[in-house]
Amino acid sequence: MSDIYGKINSAKIAKLAGVSRSTVSKVINNYDDVSKQTYEKVMKIIKQYNYYPDISAQGLKGKETKTIGLFIISPEGFSNDAHCNFMLGRVVESASIKGYHVLTYIINDTKDELEAGRIKRVFYEKRVNGGIFIGTKNHEPLVEELIGDGFIVGVMDGNLKGRKEANRLVINFESKDNAIEAVDYLISLNHKKIGFINGSLDKNSGLEKYKGFTEGIKKNNLDIPDEWVTFGDFSENGGYVAMEKILESKRENPTAICSANDSTAFGAIKAITEKGLNIPKDISIIGSDDHILSAYYNPPLTTFRVDFTEIMTLLVTNLIKLIEGNVEEMIIIPKLNTEFIIRKSCRKLEVAINK
């Protein structure tokens, strides 16, 4: 947009918004003592003129950033999941090997304008050369806006058909095939009453796991009650609430549960044992991801091992390739294979149930 005031800066933003320059600075830096009405008024002008402070004006001109951002969307609390902490460590290690720093941000709600604004400024102010997002929805407006504006963005677990921008980097693993294999394995153990605790269908892995579960059920001609299929948020608490819902329904209990990941499986196990039931005697359960605690759980959890070390290393190294312009076209990372790990959380039924 043409600017009748000349080159846009904070003073002109202040004049257009009818506020002081210090108020504009407070909005940009997310001070708490700015009213919502003033914040929205100033942000409207900032967005209208696509204004973000020039990092070179902050005394950093001529310095090479060599920094990537790690943005973890975690409304249920990042610190509660040891697996996420492991991934963070792997990103930092992989980046350090390449001579890059990592700025880490935990995002509670991407729809919150203040939070989204903070993340956008990290890119527009050139504090990072590119960013990795974990925990995004399949279509995340914040991520799509950043990619649309030309920033280099890597996403773990995403699939938007037809979107192949050169600055978009995506990596997935076999969520759908894992769910099919989980159903097939339980049927091989004579289970026919199989429940499913999934994550959100807004996320690619949640959608793919659901497709795989329903395909596996249909392939084996099973009739699964709606009450046995629940949706949560991939967290331990989400698994606990979902399992409680299944156990408290008027239906008989399933003999086995497929869980979206190991964290939800841990929550489900807690709910099952609190009802005085035994795993795997009363209910068998399968997870996914092979959480760092899964082999040591009681009982040890049958699950799919996902090599998150490989995933995070690939994301970081290929993001840096894009940043440094070492590729001429979009990097396509194939889906990563997983390994089925059989432990003691599932048992074979003596007689097939629900013939």
Side-chain angles (χ1 to χ4, degrees), residues 169-234:
L169 178 66
V170 178
I171 190 166
N172 294 312
F173 45 89
E174 297 288 356
S175 296
K176 179 180 177 181
D177 291 346
N178 289 354
I180 294 172
E181 187 174 352
V183 172
D184 288 343
Y185 175 68
L186 290 172
I187 288 173
S188 76
L189 299 180
N190 294 329
H191 292 276
K192 292 190 176 182
K193 299 179 180 180
I194 304 171
F196 182 41
I197 299 176
N198 198 15
S200 170
L201 294 181
D202 289 338
K203 297 187 177 182
N204 181 61
S205 59
L207 182 60
E208 290 298 306
K209 289 174 192 288
Y210 181 69
K211 288 178 180 177
F213 178 79
T214 53
E215 185 175 317
I217 292 300
K218 184 177 180 180
K219 179 179 70 173
N220 289 282
N221 297 313
L222 298 184
D223 184 19
I224 302 299
D226 291 341
E227 292 88 343
W228 290 356
V229 179
T230 58
F231 300 90
D233 57 9
F234 292 101

Side-chain angles (χ1 to χ4, degrees), residues 234-334:
F234 292 101
S235 70
E236 183 171 341
N237 183 64
Y240 179 85
V241 172
M243 193 68 231
E244 272 198 324
K245 185 178 179 182
I246 291 173
L247 294 174
E248 291 171 0
S249 72
K250 294 181 180 179
R251 296 276 185 177
E252 61 181 323
N253 292 336
T255 62
I257 293 289
C258 292
S259 193
N261 62 6
D262 289 3
S263 292
T264 54
F266 296 159
I269 289 170
K270 181 180 179 182
I272 290 168
T273 55
E274 283 184 359
K275 293 291 184 181
L277 301 174
N278 177 270
I279 297 169
K281 181 180 178 181
D282 298 305
I283 299 178
S284 295
I285 189 162
I286 295 179
S288 181
D289 291 353
D290 196 23
H291 192 288
I292 193 170
L293 299 176
S294 298
Y296 307 101
Y297 224 73
N298 185 23
L301 184 64
T302 295
T303 186
F304 290 87
R305 177 172 295 158
V306 179
D307 191 343
F308 283 103
T309 296
E310 181 184 8
I311 287 175
M312 303 320 296
T313 300
L314 281 171
L315 264 176
V316 172
T317 55
N318 283 293
L319 190 82
I320 291 172
K321 283 183 181 179
L322 286 175
I323 289 169
E324 296 181 349
N326 292 334
V327 292
E328 295 181 357
E329 58 185 17
M330 176 189 179
I331 298 173
I332 299 176
I333 300 177

